[in-house]
Amino acid sequence: MKLLTLFMGMQLGLSAQALANTPPQPPIAEVRPYTVSSAHGERQDPYYWLRDDSRSNPEVIAYLEAENSYYQAYQEPYSALVEELTAELIGRIQQDDSTVPYVIGDYLYSSRVEAGKEYAIYVRTPVAGGEEEIILDVNTLAAGHAYFQVANWSVSPDQNKLAYLEDTSGRRQYQLRVKDLTTGALLPDTMTGLSSSLAWSADSQHLFVVENDPVTLLSTKVYRHQLGSAPEQRALVYQEQDNSFYMGVGNTRDRNFVVIGVSSTVSDEVRVLDARQPKGEFQLIAPRQRDFKYSVDHNAGRWIINTDWDAPNYRLMTVAHTKIGNREHWQELLAHDEQVFVQSFVAFDNYLAINERSNGLRRIRFLSWDKPEESHFVESDEPAYVMWFSANPETNSNWLRYGYTSLSTPASVYEVHMATGERRLLKEAEIPGGFDRSNYRTERVWVPVAGEVTIPVSLLYHKDFKQNGSAALYQMAYGSYGISMDPGFNANILSLVDRGFVYAIAHIRGGQEMGRQWYEDGKLLNKHNTFTDYIAVTDYLVKQQYVAGDKVFGMGGSAGGLLMGAVANMAPEKYLGLVAHVPFVDVVTTMLDESLPLTTNEYDEWGNPNEKQYYDYMLSYSPYDQVRKQAYPALFVTTGFHDSQVQYFEPAKWVAKLRTMNTSNQPILFRTTMEAGHGGRSGRFARVGQTAEEYAFILDLLQRQQP
């Protein structure tokens, strides 16, 4: 109780100090000896006690609340700016909006949001004409919950039932619900502790779901549930024994098959089942093998396969359904190209569309099955852009629907006729609040680093920007898992750009912007490249006078938060402030603990610390372990108490250690959202409030720097 009393007094003190207009004092976490043991050495972790898997320890909760109180007291002097930014960001949200309808069977499906409401409403109308039907109003479902998410939903083949998966904590542990669309009633069929994937049988009487391990949260078992039966009568149809694999279930686009996919960083395996025979046996497309990845879809009796087999940037293959089980039967459809990374594909009855990366940009091309040697690119009106597949549920269409955006073009939905090339704009996101794209300029620069490597960087700035070394910089990146940070439109960032900032997306190694090797060069024993790339981009933008060296801010989340932690340790003097959202900062301790979610799945991303070379290498950059006595920049760190991806105690421990080692007078702020998980708050307006807090933190720091 001594610690709890200390925190209670601290919170009261913070309030008094705020009223007296004196700087609040941050909480200092108690040091408690704890040894983290491994085969390669022992490490002391004095803040390990902040880990509470039950999330009920009053001392831990008191500490987090004390941190929140300190943050609120620090923010109080610029709280009006937070309110101003919140109103500004909300002002760019189209209050009443809807998606472009798409056809599935006899209905047109779409969703909409309404003024003042946080969540989407999913609707459908008969293709033949008739009244709109609300199939799911998430606002109604979310009533009474501090957090609510519908992670996935799927209409049955007979279109009379809707299955969906909901989460009320942010932990990403979902509960199955099934709604009878003919009566509007919820059926008694429900299960808990599931992942977010599901699939239907062709008779609309069976659902396939994935159960998570209750401790590690790994997806481990696939069940078949017959509607109307008790949950305990569900049938186990597959169990994954290797805890380094993720697992999901779904239907092919033509709905002819149920697909179980298991995936690790370097290996995939797919099993398929005729959806007309839900109680049949799943068949392998091809057995798993290390350093062999593939994904599939089905069309017209054949499987289309995207694979890295003898093709680092992937190629497309095909095989008849009657010959699955051995990849030696696969036939090449699209050859490997060292300069082009094949991202994904959509197979139609008459055409094949391919989403690929070339020179760091995502583009789309398509070909006809009659003349596969001839392909055509979807045109773009800008030199730098992003294209991706939109909703294309019907395989018999000759129209391909795709999304398009750039740093200055709001997200748009187009369709292109694959026979004639005709393009039609179906919808461009409306940005209220006076947005005018002519006020902004975009640029792509290439930053040289070691050897012949150059890092692409996407820039956005106001038309009045002068390249004279006076602007502030907001630089973001991710750089892990092969996830690419595409230069898409972000209405929120206009609040900084309109205030004179340069917005930079650093496409650093560890992503996949420049192909598969770009990813390989930023993981495992190459991970330091991710951090040095980011710092090199900062140096370049300062040297080329895009920005001022004393007005530099960085932001990253999750693995991007790891990036921020590494940068803070390696080059603190180059940044005025860093923002780390839900940061993965305690790399070695987490990767040694197989009871934590994601650990075993990610040995091929970070390395297995049970092997000495990886232990030593991870230790060399782990932000928590590398904190040392030095002057750190200002830090704004966030987490979600129920985060299942990066546990809240990682950033909590990191901040506690930083507080004792930081020799600068810059603030270190830690904000825990007690009712959310990895993705933050669930409502569209609530999320905007979090962004406003981040931007206000940055702008206040900048203001304090002014003479």
Side-chain angles (χ1 to χ4, degrees), residues 103-348:
V103 175
I104 301 180
D106 299 327
Y107 292 90
L108 280 163
Y109 289 85
S110 64
S111 66
R112 66 168 182 265
V113 288
E114 297 179 350
K117 294 185 177 180
E118 293 275 11
Y119 301 98
I121 301 169
Y122 297 93
V123 301
R124 69 180 184 182
T125 53
V127 173
E131 295 292 323
E132 175 190 90
E133 174 189 353
I134 295 176
I135 60 174
L136 204 61
D137 185 343
V138 183
N139 298 282
T140 301
L141 298 175
H145 296 286
Y147 179 96
F148 191 86
Q149 180 196 22
V150 171
N152 190 13
W153 61 268
S154 180
V155 175
S156 60
D158 65 10
Q159 298 189 290
N160 291 328
K161 291 173 281 293
L162 174 75
Y164 63 94
L165 292 146
E166 64 181 23
D167 176 16
T168 58
S169 72
R171 192 77 175 149
R172 298 185 181 178
Q173 301 308 296
Y174 301 100
Q175 180 169 0
L176 172 70
R177 299 286 192 180
V178 183
K179 182 179 180 180
D180 186 330
L181 294 178
T182 62
T183 66
L186 281 178
L187 301 179
D189 304 83
T190 185
M191 282 179 266
T192 59
L194 304 179
S195 79
S196 60
S197 61
L198 55 84
W200 283 100
S201 62
D203 63 6
S204 302
Q205 293 303 307
H206 299 84
L207 279 167
F208 294 83
V209 296
V210 179
E211 183 181 69
N212 295 333
D213 182 278
V215 176
T216 66
L217 308 185
L218 295 174
S219 45
T220 56
K221 298 176 182 178
V222 178
Y223 285 99
R224 181 187 66 245
H225 169 69
Q226 184 167 352
L227 296 185
S229 65
E232 57 270 18
Q233 293 178 327
R234 60 189 178 178
L236 178 66
V237 297
Y238 179 73
Q239 183 168 359
E240 178 54 49
Q241 303 295 335
D242 189 334
N243 63 5
S244 67
F245 281 77
Y246 296 99
M247 183 162 59
V249 66
N251 291 108
T252 52
R253 276 181 65 246
D254 61 13
R255 289 209 160 191
N256 288 336
F257 290 87
V258 176
V259 179
I260 297 174
V262 297
S263 179
S264 73
T265 304
V266 298
S267 180
D268 294 316
E269 187 174 69
V270 177
R271 288 171 169 79
V272 298
L273 172 70
D274 189 327
R276 297 168 299 180
Q277 300 174 5
K279 296 183 180 180
E281 295 294 325
F282 280 84
Q283 297 174 273
L284 269 176
I285 293 288
R288 71 186 69 180
Q289 181 178 317
R290 187 168 178 81
D291 298 321
F292 166 50
K293 293 185 69 65
Y294 69 99
S295 59
V296 307
D297 200 7
H298 183 266
N299 178 265
R302 61 188 164 186
W303 292 93
I304 315 299
I305 305 160
N306 188 20
T307 181
D308 69 348
W309 178 27
D310 291 337
N313 274 346
Y314 287 69
R315 58 177 170 161
L316 295 183
M317 311 283 282
T318 184
V319 66
H321 179 68
T322 55
K323 292 186 177 182
I324 63 173
N326 186 335
R327 70 181 185 182
E328 299 302 326
H329 296 302
W330 295 4
Q331 296 179 325
E332 188 168 81
L333 188 61
L334 180 70
H336 177 254
D337 187 332
E338 291 183 356
Q339 304 303 316
V340 177
F341 177 76
V342 179
Q343 184 98 12
S344 59
F345 67 90
V346 176
F348 294 87

Side-chain angles (χ1 to χ4, degrees), residues 495-507:
S495 287
L496 294 183
V497 174
D498 286 347
R499 289 172 170 84
F501 277 70
V502 172
Y503 172 47
I505 304 176
H507 305 289

Side-chain angles (χ1 to χ4, degrees), residues 426-494:
L426 304 180
K427 178 183 174 65
E428 179 178 288
E430 185 175 343
I431 310 298
F435 169 73
D436 181 352
R437 75 186 65 194
S438 67
N439 287 329
Y440 304 96
R441 302 289 183 266
T442 64
E443 187 178 351
R444 174 161 284 206
V445 298
W446 295 85
V447 177
V449 292
E452 298 181 355
V453 175
T454 55
I455 310 299
V457 183
S458 299
L459 301 177
L460 174 71
Y461 41 78
H462 196 272
K463 68 177 182 180
D464 297 331
F465 163 76
K466 299 286 191 280
Q467 193 174 334
N468 58 11
S470 64
L473 171 65
Y474 180 89
Q475 178 179 323
M476 67 88 65
Y478 189 73
S480 292
Y481 301 107
I483 295 174
S484 300
M485 304 305 292
D486 292 311
F489 186 80
N490 177 1
N492 291 339
I493 203 65
L494 300 180

Side-chain angles (χ1 to χ4, degrees), residues 580-691:
H581 294 301
V582 292
F584 173 43
V585 285
D586 192 14
V587 181
V588 179
T589 302
T590 292
M591 295 303 294
L592 282 168
D593 189 346
E594 295 186 8
S595 72
L596 291 174
L598 309 187
T599 293
T600 54
N601 293 105
E602 302 196 353
Y603 286 153
D604 288 308
E605 178 72 27
W606 311 104
N608 184 343
N610 295 303
E611 300 177 28
K612 185 170 176 33
Q613 67 169 338
Y614 292 114
Y615 179 91
D616 292 342
Y617 190 81
M618 293 159 69
L619 197 61
S620 73
Y621 67 77
S622 173
Y624 181 58
D625 293 285
Q626 291 302 316
V627 170
R628 59 186 179 273
K629 282 280 185 186
Q630 64 177 346
Y632 280 92
L635 285 160
F636 182 33
V637 183
T638 69
T639 191
F641 190 46
H642 298 283
D643 196 332
S644 61
Q645 270 53 49
V646 179
Q647 308 292 314
Y648 76 88
F649 45 81
E650 288 199 38
K653 290 163 51 179
W654 181 47
V655 167
K657 190 173 183 180
L658 282 166
R659 287 260 168 73
T660 65
M661 304 295 277
N662 183 25
T663 61
S664 78
N665 60 2
Q666 294 286 22
I668 298 174
L669 305 177
F670 182 42
R671 175 94 154 78
T672 302
T673 304
M674 302 300 289
E675 69 279 7
H678 197 62
R681 293 192 175 99
S682 55
R684 58 178 178 147
F685 300 120
R687 285 195 296 269
V688 158
Q690 292 179 315
T691 302

